[in-house]
Amino acid sequence: MPAGELRHPSPLNSSATETPPDEEEVWAKIKTEAHRDAESEPALASYLYSTILSHSSLERSLAFHLGNKLCSSTLLSTLLYDLFLNTISSDSALLAATVADLRAARARDPACVSFSHCLLNYKGFLACQAHRVSHKLWSQSRRPLALALHSRISDVFAVDIHPAAKIGKGILFDHATGVVIGETAVIGNNVSILHHVTLGGTGKACGDRHPKIGDGVLIGAGATILGNVKIGEGAKIGAGSVVLIDVPPRTTAVGNPARLVGGKEKPARHEECPGESMDHTSFITDWSDYII
């Protein structure tokens, strides 16, 4: 692949019906964790039974949980349960992405104590799974329902992802509060995004106007990326940075406006995948004489 070229995320609207090879393994771990937690904390036993232990599969548990989280007085939980279950069950790629996201949270976030903890309590994870369904509806031209679901996701989880935005798998929205992702944004695989990140337009353009994020990218808290710009594979965007132009692969952009660590002509390059390593600060000695 030529330098700077972005891979689009693996399509999540595949009609394939094969079961993800590790879905059963992850689901078995989730049930084991739920049994353990129910025994150690009886106050949660009923909740854990209704959300996890009473269900025969991960997709049924997730559909039930999302339906209860996102329902309202006029958007009933039973309707949402059927919508989520039918959509996820009809597309094995959606379930594979769910499993990849669970593994991403467990591997990258030291605060994630178990798969069941992520499934039940991580609003970034839940918002991402609900978005996948809204995106599927959007691609099927069921846009009023996709937009209604998008609105509920934003209201409940404080995560605003347009239904048309394309998101890969192995995604971690860490904390997730205040994440905004625009209509024509594309996010690759194995990307980690912290809270209060904006992937927005410039306010003056129509059409394809939002960022394209390559595989393995790490975007720090409060970063803002505006316009139809490309963040190269394995790049790192520092917390609080404002990015308005392309960032080359395997480089680090920091500041407002963002600049490349090492300079534009010979930027410092790293070999690790920051979206997986979650290394936010190793560049600081090359960037600043910051001393306390």
Side-chain angles (χ1 to χ4, degrees):
M1 184 175 68
E5 182 177 333
L6 290 177
R7 276 198 294 257
H8 285 271
S10 301
L12 297 181
N13 57 355
S14 168
S15 59
T17 58
E18 68 271 13
T19 301
D22 56 351
E23 184 267 332
E24 291 185 3
E25 176 188 350
V26 170
W27 176 235
K29 289 182 179 179
I30 289 172
K31 289 192 293 182
T32 298
E33 293 163 356
H35 275 295
R36 177 201 64 201
D37 292 343
E39 291 176 356
S40 65
E41 187 52 78
L44 291 177
S46 178
Y47 169 62
L48 291 168
Y49 179 80
S50 65
T51 53
I52 294 176
L53 297 174
S54 65
H55 299 283
S56 59
S57 65
L58 175 58
E59 57 265 40
R60 288 182 178 275
S61 174
L62 179 61
F64 178 86
H65 193 41
L66 285 175
N68 279 285
K69 284 282 190 181
L70 296 172
C71 67
S72 68
S73 59
T74 54
L75 200 58
L76 302 182
S77 61
T78 50
L79 181 151
L80 290 176
Y81 171 77
D82 288 339
L83 174 66
F84 286 124
L85 181 59
N86 291 336
T87 304
I88 297 171
S89 298
S90 66
D91 187 345
S92 63
L94 291 178
L95 186 57
T98 296
V99 172
D101 293 351
L102 283 166
R103 289 194 177 279
R106 189 74 179 93
R108 299 177 208 164
D109 185 358
C112 185
V113 298
S114 64
F115 288 111
S116 61
H117 173 49
C118 177
L119 173 64
L120 295 176
N121 303 320
Y122 270 39
K123 69 179 185 179
F125 167 79
L126 294 170
C128 189
Q129 309 322 305
H131 164 75
R132 298 191 199 284
V133 173
S134 72
H135 179 71
K136 182 79 172 182
L137 295 170
W138 185 270
S139 68
Q140 295 171 337
S141 296
R142 301 175 68 184
R143 295 188 175 184
L145 183 54
L147 290 168
L149 185 55
H150 160 241
S151 178
R152 286 300 296 162
I153 296 167
S154 180
D155 288 345
V156 173
F157 298 128
V159 176
D160 192 332
I161 311 174
H162 192 282
K166 299 175 182 178
I167 298 179
K169 61 184 180 179
I171 304 300
L172 173 62
F173 289 125
D174 195 355
H175 298 288
T177 300
V179 167
V180 176
I181 299 174
E183 179 180 8
T184 60
V186 177
I187 299 175
N189 301 318
N190 302 315
V191 171
S192 294
I193 296 177
L194 275 288
H195 51 287
H196 290 292
V197 164
T198 298
L199 305 182
T202 62
K204 62 181 181 182
C206 297
D208 192 359
R209 62 195 186 278
H210 295 103
K212 310 300 181 281
I213 310 299
D215 294 349
V217 168
L218 172 63
I219 306 178
T224 299
I225 307 173
L226 300 179
N228 186 14
V229 299
K230 296 180 180 179
I231 308 302
E233 180 178 354
K236 186 187 306 185
I237 309 300
S241 299
V242 177
V243 179
L244 304 175
I245 58 177
D246 293 356
V247 175
R250 302 284 175 177
T251 63
T252 299
V254 186
N256 181 5
R259 292 173 293 160
L260 295 178
V261 172
K264 182 178 180 179
E265 299 304 320
K266 293 184 178 180
R269 296 184 181 271
H270 47 261
E271 294 301 321
E272 85 280 5
C273 177
E276 298 179 9
S277 69
M278 302 296 287
D279 177 8
H280 289 269
T281 60
S282 63
F283 63 86
I284 194 67
T285 56
D286 297 324
W287 177 251
S288 170
D289 59 356
Y290 175 70
I291 298 173
I292 294 179

